[in-house]
Amino acid sequence: MIFTRRAAAVAAASLAVCASLTACDGDTVPDALPDTVPDTVPNAAPERLRAVVQERYDFDPTSFTQGLEVDQDGSLLVGTGQEGESRIYRRSLDGAESQSVDLDPELFGEGITRVGDALWQLTWQDNTAIRRDASTLEETGRVSYEGEGWGLCNRGEELIFSDGSAELRRMDPDSLEERERFRVTSDGAPVTGLNELECVGDDIYANVFTTTDIVRIDANSGEVTALIDASALPNHASPDPNNVLNGIAHLPGTDEFLLAGKRWPDLYRVTFEPADGQSG
């Protein structure tokens, strides 16, 4: 995704969903509940968390990272963007790259996720998803979808698909056919700019485009349950408005995640911990 072509679509995100996590305490106060529904309980305010770096790894500063996933064998799968530069590759945490497959030069790669023996890779404005063999990364088919493709993650019986709006789509994991859409909200306000995704149980983690914020979303209700400030992660990428935080992958069996960025030379293993002054 290119900032200069998408900025207009997400310009209101910081006002709508507190994109700066340090500047929105108490900004949205729910109206009093009507007397006719005295048993209704308002949604709890989202947790306020921060990303705490546990370890840093070398990463590829040429990778315009769009998708990041830990595979079943512990290797990393990375999908990258930009026309003429997009690819998908496999590497270890220590930086050894073992596989790499280029996309057609006219395609702009986006989010990825594994489904059994297959792997799906989205494209930005090409309305095309590529199905791949999860072992070889070779293409095995293509399907079409409506609108833009941004992020993708696997919940088992469904895939979750983002297109940069405040809506997420539920997709069939085998055919990538759309089943339904649901809106993501925080204190009743729509959360726009939902980008790279990671599914963990009933939670969906999403990067908020152009920011250092991550939201944790209830996959059933669409409600944001946590606002995660990742601004403490050093961004050592070359100066460019496109080189923002992007890429989130859960480390199975732990409470840790890997976070990356577009053309970032660093990959961070992090935990999400209570923000200062908040109990766990």
Side-chain angles (χ1 to χ4, degrees):
M1 292 148 292
I2 301 177
F3 174 76
T4 53
R5 297 177 63 185
R6 290 189 172 179
V10 295
S14 60
L15 295 177
V17 297
C18 306
S20 174
L21 298 182
T22 60
C24 57
D25 291 330
D27 281 352
T28 303
V29 179
D31 294 335
L33 294 172
D35 293 337
T36 54
V37 285
D39 295 331
T40 302
V41 178
N43 290 325
E47 286 187 85
R48 302 290 293 276
L49 305 175
R50 59 192 178 94
V52 178
V53 176
Q54 304 298 324
E55 192 166 357
R56 176 210 165 271
Y57 307 93
D58 287 336
F59 207 56
D60 178 11
T62 68
S63 288
F64 198 78
T65 303
Q66 301 286 63
L68 185 70
E69 184 155 325
V70 177
D71 204 359
Q72 297 172 356
D73 61 358
S75 63
L76 296 184
L77 294 168
V78 186
T80 76
Q82 298 286 11
E83 292 176 358
E85 300 177 16
S86 296
R87 66 180 181 130
I88 184 167
Y89 65 95
R90 186 189 303 275
R91 54 158 285 170
S92 62
L93 268 181
D94 63 11
E97 189 174 309
S98 57
Q99 293 172 303
S100 179
V101 177
D102 293 337
L103 274 69
D104 294 345
E106 70 273 13
L107 298 179
F108 191 116
E110 286 283 349
I112 62 173
T113 200
R114 179 166 181 165
V115 181
D117 294 332
L119 187 144
W120 286 107
Q121 182 174 25
L122 302 181
T123 58
W124 176 22
Q125 295 181 321
D126 303 291
N127 314 113
T128 299
I130 301 170
R131 184 191 296 110
R132 299 183 179 279
D133 181 287
S135 297
T136 66
L137 305 186
E138 294 299 324
E139 181 175 335
T140 59
R142 296 188 182 191
V143 300
S144 298
Y145 51 81
E146 179 183 299
E148 295 185 357
W150 286 38
L152 195 65
C153 67
N154 183 6
R155 293 194 65 227
E157 295 185 354
E158 65 180 4
L159 304 185
I160 304 297
F161 176 116
S162 67
D163 59 14
S165 70
E167 286 189 330
L168 294 176
R169 310 181 194 184
R170 303 187 193 276
M171 314 290 277
D172 184 277
D174 297 317
S175 66
L176 212 67
E177 290 183 2
E178 183 176 332
R179 293 173 174 171
E180 65 173 3
R181 302 189 185 194
F182 63 100
R183 175 169 283 198
V184 175
T185 60
S186 179
D187 288 335
V191 181
T192 59
L194 300 174
N195 197 2
E196 217 272 311
L197 305 177
E198 179 73 348
C199 294
V200 184
D202 286 333
D203 293 324
I204 304 166
Y205 292 82
N207 289 116
V208 179
F209 183 52
T210 76
T211 77
T212 54
D213 299 341
I214 297 167
V215 290
R216 188 184 70 206
I217 304 159
D218 184 300
N220 298 306
S221 68
E223 184 69 17
V224 170
T225 60
L227 302 170
I228 303 167
D229 180 1
S231 61
L233 275 63
N235 181 348
H236 294 132
S238 58
D240 187 317
N242 293 302
N243 294 350
V244 295
L245 179 74
N246 198 49
I248 177 170
H250 178 241
L251 287 165
T254 76
D255 60 354
E256 298 181 331
F257 292 79
L258 298 173
L259 298 181
K262 299 177 182 182
R263 304 192 185 102
W264 281 24
D266 311 294
L267 176 71
Y268 298 100
R269 179 169 57 84
V270 305
T271 51
F272 298 146
E273 302 182 7
D276 292 344
Q278 186 182 72
S279 60

